[in-house]
Amino acid sequence: MSSQPSQPVGLGAWIARVIAIVVLVPVRLIWEGVRLLGRVLAAALWYFVTRLLAPVARFVWYWVIRPIWLFVKDFLWGWVLQHMLWGLVLTPFVALLLDYVLRPLRQAVERWLWRTVLRPALAWLWRAVLEPLLGLLLAAVYWFGKWFVVWPLVQLWRWVLHPLWRLLRAVLIYAWRVATVLVAVLVVMPCRFVYRTLLRPMLHVAAAVWAAIVVRPLRWMHDNVVTPVNRFAAEVLTGVFGR
């Protein structure tokens, strides 16, 4: 294998190498040192947080902060603040404030608002708006009722219903009279004739026959048989048993 002769390096290449050695190498060394220092600091911080700070924080939370929080929440807030402060201080203070300040203030505001704002506004609204509208509405209702309800009904009664009623009344009176005559001729007179000529004599005969066959024998039997038997039985019982 034949070796080629090395070419001579020029002045520019030597200058570039010198600049690279003088400038770039220190910068690269500094960068690598900074990276190494960052890794060391990160590892130290991670070790400090995970190995030292976290156990201390857990210990402080479970054995210091959490008992203090439970004590404050259950005892101070639950009993002292809620029962004592609310029951003994805030409730009477709120009741006193409500009875002697807020309720009189509300009543005074309501009276002032009613006297100065609402009542004059309502009176003006009634005089300026509602009363004219109500009068106009009543006038419209009266005019509509007069010309579209009352006047057509009056005309209908005058020209249709009243003549029909008079005609119907005349027809009914005439029909009643005709029916009365027909009933008198066809029913009353034949019934009267039948009663006078047949039923009444037959009823008299039936009454006489009933009196002769039933009433008189029963009366004779009662007077001549039943009454003496009853008297005899009464005398026998009186004689045997005494009064």
Side-chain angles (χ1 to χ4, degrees):
M1 182 174 180
S2 62
S3 60
Q4 296 180 357
S6 60
Q7 297 179 359
V9 179
L11 182 61
W14 283 105
I15 294 173
R17 291 177 182 179
V18 170
I19 293 174
I21 293 172
V22 174
V23 177
L24 296 180
V25 171
V27 173
R28 181 62 181 269
L29 291 175
I30 293 172
W31 170 249
E32 292 296 333
V34 171
R35 288 181 62 185
L36 181 61
L37 182 62
R39 291 178 181 177
V40 172
L41 291 177
L45 183 62
W46 174 257
Y47 180 82
F48 176 76
V49 170
T50 57
R51 299 297 180 180
L52 298 177
L53 187 61
V56 172
R58 285 195 296 268
F59 176 81
V60 172
W61 168 255
Y62 282 108
W63 298 103
V64 178
I65 298 177
R66 190 169 179 270
I68 294 174
W69 166 250
L70 293 176
F71 173 77
V72 171
K73 183 185 70 172
D74 295 336
F75 179 75
L76 293 180
W77 175 254
W79 187 78
V80 175
L81 293 179
Q82 290 187 359
H83 290 82
M84 294 185 63
L85 183 61
W86 178 256
L88 299 178
V89 178
L90 292 180
T91 301
F93 177 73
V94 171
L96 182 66
L97 184 65
L98 182 63
D99 292 335
Y100 293 98
V101 177
L102 296 179
R103 188 173 290 121
L105 181 62
R106 188 197 65 183
Q107 294 176 357
V109 170
E110 289 178 353
R111 288 194 296 267
W112 177 82
L113 187 64
W114 169 254
R115 292 175 181 176
T116 58
V117 179
L118 292 179
R119 188 168 64 182
L122 291 176
W124 177 84
L125 181 64
W126 170 256
R127 290 193 303 268
V129 180
L130 295 179
E131 190 174 7
L133 287 178
L134 184 60
L136 183 62
L137 180 62
L138 292 177
V141 170
Y142 174 76
W143 183 82
F144 181 82
K146 178 180 179 181
W147 294 105
F148 288 94
V149 178
V150 177
W151 186 80
L153 291 178
V154 170
Q155 300 301 320
L156 180 64
W157 169 257
R158 180 180 298 175
W159 301 104
V160 179
L161 296 179
H162 187 64
L164 288 177
W165 165 247
R166 295 179 63 182
L167 179 62
L168 180 61
R169 186 178 63 180
V171 170
L172 290 176
I173 293 173
Y174 181 75
W176 175 257
R177 292 178 180 177
V178 172
T180 303
V181 173
L182 292 177
V183 169
V185 173
L186 298 177
V187 177
V188 176
M189 293 179 65
C191 290
R192 185 180 298 171
F193 175 76
V194 171
Y195 175 75
R196 288 179 179 178
T197 58
L198 295 177
L199 291 179
R200 189 164 62 181
M202 290 177 64
L203 290 175
H204 286 298
V205 172
V209 172
W210 175 263
I213 296 177
V214 177
V215 176
R216 290 179 182 178
L218 288 176
R219 184 180 299 170
W220 181 84
M221 183 176 292
H222 181 271
D223 295 335
N224 297 312
V225 177
V226 175
T227 301
V229 170
N230 288 332
R231 289 177 182 175
F232 179 74
E235 292 176 359
V236 170
L237 291 175
T238 303
V240 174
F241 297 101
R243 291 186 177 181

